Tab-separated table of all heavy atoms in Angstrom:
chain	number	residue	atom	x	y	z
A	223	ARG	N	-1.637	17.363	29.196
A	223	ARG	CA	-2.222	16.062	29.892
A	223	ARG	C	-2.477	16.419	31.302
A	223	ARG	O	-3.455	15.950	31.951
A	223	ARG	CB	-1.297	14.938	29.638
A	223	ARG	CG	-1.916	13.637	29.932
A	223	ARG	CD	-3.085	13.378	29.113
A	223	ARG	NE	-3.740	12.089	29.428
A	223	ARG	CZ	-3.569	10.934	28.886
A	223	ARG	NH1	-2.737	10.803	27.901
A	223	ARG	NH2	-4.265	9.930	29.263
A	224	ALA	N	-1.429	17.171	31.986
A	224	ALA	CA	-1.581	17.513	33.361
A	224	ALA	C	-2.884	18.297	33.568
A	224	ALA	O	-3.658	18.154	34.605
A	224	ALA	CB	-0.419	18.231	33.868
A	225	MET	N	-3.116	19.362	32.755
A	225	MET	CA	-4.300	20.218	32.808
A	225	MET	C	-5.549	19.442	32.589
A	225	MET	O	-6.536	19.707	33.262
A	225	MET	CB	-4.174	21.307	31.681
A	225	MET	CG	-2.942	22.346	31.923
A	225	MET	SD	-2.842	23.436	30.483
A	225	MET	CE	-1.112	23.994	30.767
A	226	LEU	N	-5.587	18.389	31.572
A	226	LEU	CA	-6.775	17.641	31.313
A	226	LEU	C	-7.082	16.733	32.564
A	226	LEU	O	-8.219	16.537	32.952
A	226	LEU	CB	-6.611	16.823	30.077
A	226	LEU	CG	-6.588	17.619	28.830
A	226	LEU	CD1	-6.328	16.762	27.557
A	226	LEU	CD2	-7.881	18.448	28.578
A	227	THR	N	-5.991	16.214	33.191
A	227	THR	CA	-6.205	15.411	34.369
A	227	THR	C	-6.774	16.283	35.551
A	227	THR	O	-7.681	15.845	36.238
A	227	THR	CB	-4.881	14.781	34.827
A	227	THR	OG1	-4.319	14.011	33.691
A	227	THR	CG2	-5.023	13.821	35.938
A	228	ALA	N	-6.271	17.428	35.663
A	228	ALA	CA	-6.802	18.347	36.664
A	228	ALA	C	-8.305	18.727	36.430
A	228	ALA	O	-9.132	18.715	37.349
A	228	ALA	CB	-6.021	19.595	36.834
A	229	LEU	N	-8.608	18.781	35.184
A	229	LEU	CA	-9.886	19.122	34.776
A	229	LEU	C	-10.853	17.935	35.093
A	229	LEU	O	-12.001	18.115	35.574
A	229	LEU	CB	-10.023	19.424	33.216
A	229	LEU	CG	-11.136	20.193	32.689
A	229	LEU	CD1	-11.309	21.506	33.234
A	229	LEU	CD2	-11.247	20.210	31.161
A	230	LEU	N	-10.468	16.762	34.842
A	230	LEU	CA	-11.215	15.530	35.202
A	230	LEU	C	-11.342	15.294	36.687
A	230	LEU	O	-12.390	14.856	37.158
A	230	LEU	CB	-10.609	14.224	34.566
A	230	LEU	CG	-10.516	14.187	33.024
A	230	LEU	CD1	-9.783	13.021	32.579
A	230	LEU	CD2	-12.100	14.071	32.586
A	231	ASP	N	-10.369	15.847	37.466
A	231	ASP	CA	-10.519	15.714	38.892
A	231	ASP	C	-11.414	16.778	39.454
A	231	ASP	O	-11.523	16.820	40.737
A	231	ASP	CB	-9.105	15.803	39.502
A	231	ASP	CG	-8.146	14.609	39.128
A	231	ASP	OD1	-8.762	13.511	38.813
A	231	ASP	OD2	-6.979	14.733	39.247
A	232	GLY	N	-11.992	17.610	38.749
A	232	GLY	CA	-12.871	18.611	39.222
A	232	GLY	C	-12.400	20.016	39.327
A	232	GLY	O	-13.081	20.972	39.756
A	233	GLU	N	-11.157	20.245	38.906
A	233	GLU	CA	-10.606	21.664	38.953
A	233	GLU	C	-11.204	22.485	37.932
A	233	GLU	O	-11.259	22.067	36.747
A	233	GLU	CB	-9.102	21.591	38.843
A	233	GLU	CG	-8.376	22.916	38.878
A	233	GLU	CD	-8.574	23.516	40.329
A	233	GLU	OE1	-8.139	22.904	41.308
A	233	GLU	OE2	-9.203	24.633	40.326
A	234	ARG	N	-11.649	23.715	38.285
A	234	ARG	CA	-12.207	24.564	37.315
A	234	ARG	C	-11.571	25.900	37.252
A	234	ARG	O	-11.949	26.761	36.400
A	234	ARG	CB	-13.795	24.723	37.585
A	234	ARG	CG	-14.516	23.410	37.479
A	234	ARG	CD	-14.556	23.019	36.033
A	234	ARG	NE	-15.414	21.879	35.838
A	234	ARG	CZ	-14.930	20.532	35.922
A	234	ARG	NH1	-13.708	20.485	36.154
A	234	ARG	NH2	-15.689	19.546	35.744
A	235	ASP	N	-10.609	26.226	38.147
A	235	ASP	CA	-9.887	27.499	38.272
A	235	ASP	C	-8.863	27.606	37.100
A	235	ASP	O	-7.940	26.796	37.075
A	235	ASP	CB	-9.219	27.676	39.585
A	235	ASP	CG	-8.677	28.972	39.855
A	235	ASP	OD1	-8.700	29.852	38.783
A	235	ASP	OD2	-8.388	29.387	40.947
A	236	PRO	N	-9.076	28.536	36.200
A	236	PRO	CA	-8.115	28.579	35.065
A	236	PRO	C	-6.573	28.877	35.508
A	236	PRO	O	-5.611	28.338	34.962
A	236	PRO	CB	-8.600	29.742	34.172
A	236	PRO	CG	-10.036	29.900	34.566
A	236	PRO	CD	-10.116	29.440	35.930
A	237	ASP	N	-6.549	29.715	36.568
A	237	ASP	CA	-5.234	30.116	37.088
A	237	ASP	C	-4.462	28.870	37.643
A	237	ASP	O	-3.202	28.588	37.425
A	237	ASP	CB	-5.237	31.189	38.153
A	237	ASP	CG	-5.876	32.408	37.730
A	237	ASP	OD1	-5.572	32.648	36.425
A	237	ASP	OD2	-6.477	33.228	38.416
A	238	VAL	N	-5.191	27.889	38.426
A	238	VAL	CA	-4.557	26.777	38.881
A	238	VAL	C	-4.161	25.897	37.760
A	238	VAL	O	-2.980	25.245	37.756
A	238	VAL	CB	-5.572	26.053	39.918
A	238	VAL	CG1	-4.933	24.767	40.331
A	238	VAL	CG2	-5.861	26.962	41.047
A	239	MET	N	-5.045	25.652	36.733
A	239	MET	CA	-4.704	24.686	35.714
A	239	MET	C	-3.621	25.273	34.818
A	239	MET	O	-2.600	24.501	34.367
A	239	MET	CB	-5.963	24.440	34.869
A	239	MET	CG	-7.000	23.573	35.536
A	239	MET	SD	-8.392	23.106	34.525
A	239	MET	CE	-9.197	24.730	34.350
A	240	ALA	N	-3.571	26.601	34.524
A	240	ALA	CA	-2.605	27.122	33.731
A	240	ALA	C	-1.189	27.100	34.398
A	240	ALA	O	-0.163	26.873	33.731
A	240	ALA	CB	-2.886	28.618	33.446
A	241	ASP	N	-1.181	27.065	35.705
A	241	ASP	CA	0.146	26.894	36.461
A	241	ASP	C	0.779	25.621	36.358
A	241	ASP	O	1.987	25.400	36.674
A	241	ASP	CB	-0.161	27.346	37.982
A	241	ASP	CG	1.153	27.555	38.629
A	241	ASP	OD1	1.987	28.493	38.118
A	241	ASP	OD2	1.455	26.952	39.621
A	242	LEU	N	0.025	24.675	35.823
A	242	LEU	CA	0.556	23.276	35.591
A	242	LEU	C	1.437	23.235	34.290
A	242	LEU	O	2.055	22.213	34.104
A	242	LEU	CB	-0.451	22.293	35.405
A	242	LEU	CG	-1.415	22.033	36.641
A	242	LEU	CD1	-2.572	21.104	36.333
A	242	LEU	CD2	-0.484	21.536	37.747
A	243	ALA	N	1.554	24.379	33.515
A	243	ALA	CA	2.378	24.284	32.271
A	243	ALA	C	3.853	24.193	32.643
A	243	ALA	O	4.292	24.617	33.724
A	243	ALA	CB	2.118	25.633	31.541
A	244	GLN	N	4.473	23.530	31.805
A	244	GLN	CA	5.919	23.301	31.985
A	244	GLN	C	6.809	23.771	30.739
A	244	GLN	O	6.170	23.897	29.636
A	244	GLN	CB	6.285	21.862	32.192
A	244	GLN	CG	5.547	21.201	33.339
A	244	GLN	CD	5.778	19.774	33.531
A	244	GLN	OE1	6.805	19.242	32.971
A	244	GLN	NE2	4.965	19.033	34.186
A	245	GLY	N	8.024	24.100	30.936
A	245	GLY	CA	8.837	24.357	29.710
A	245	GLY	C	8.476	25.731	29.160
A	245	GLY	O	8.086	26.729	29.815
A	246	ARG	N	8.632	25.810	27.808
A	246	ARG	CA	8.345	26.984	27.107
A	246	ARG	C	6.911	27.415	27.066
A	246	ARG	O	6.542	28.481	26.843
A	246	ARG	CB	8.750	26.866	25.697
A	246	ARG	CG	10.309	26.770	25.481
A	246	ARG	CD	10.642	26.662	23.986
A	246	ARG	NE	10.152	25.427	23.474
A	246	ARG	CZ	10.300	25.091	22.042
A	246	ARG	NH1	10.934	25.916	21.310
A	246	ARG	NH2	9.939	23.976	21.691
Side-chain angles (χ1 to χ4, degrees):
R223 194 62 185 263
M225 298 174 195
L226 292 176
T227 302
L229 197 65
L230 290 174
D231 291 339
E233 182 61 59
R234 296 294 181 267
D235 189 347
D237 295 334
V238 175
M239 289 188 290
D241 196 51
L242 296 173
Q244 302 178 23
R246 290 182 298 178

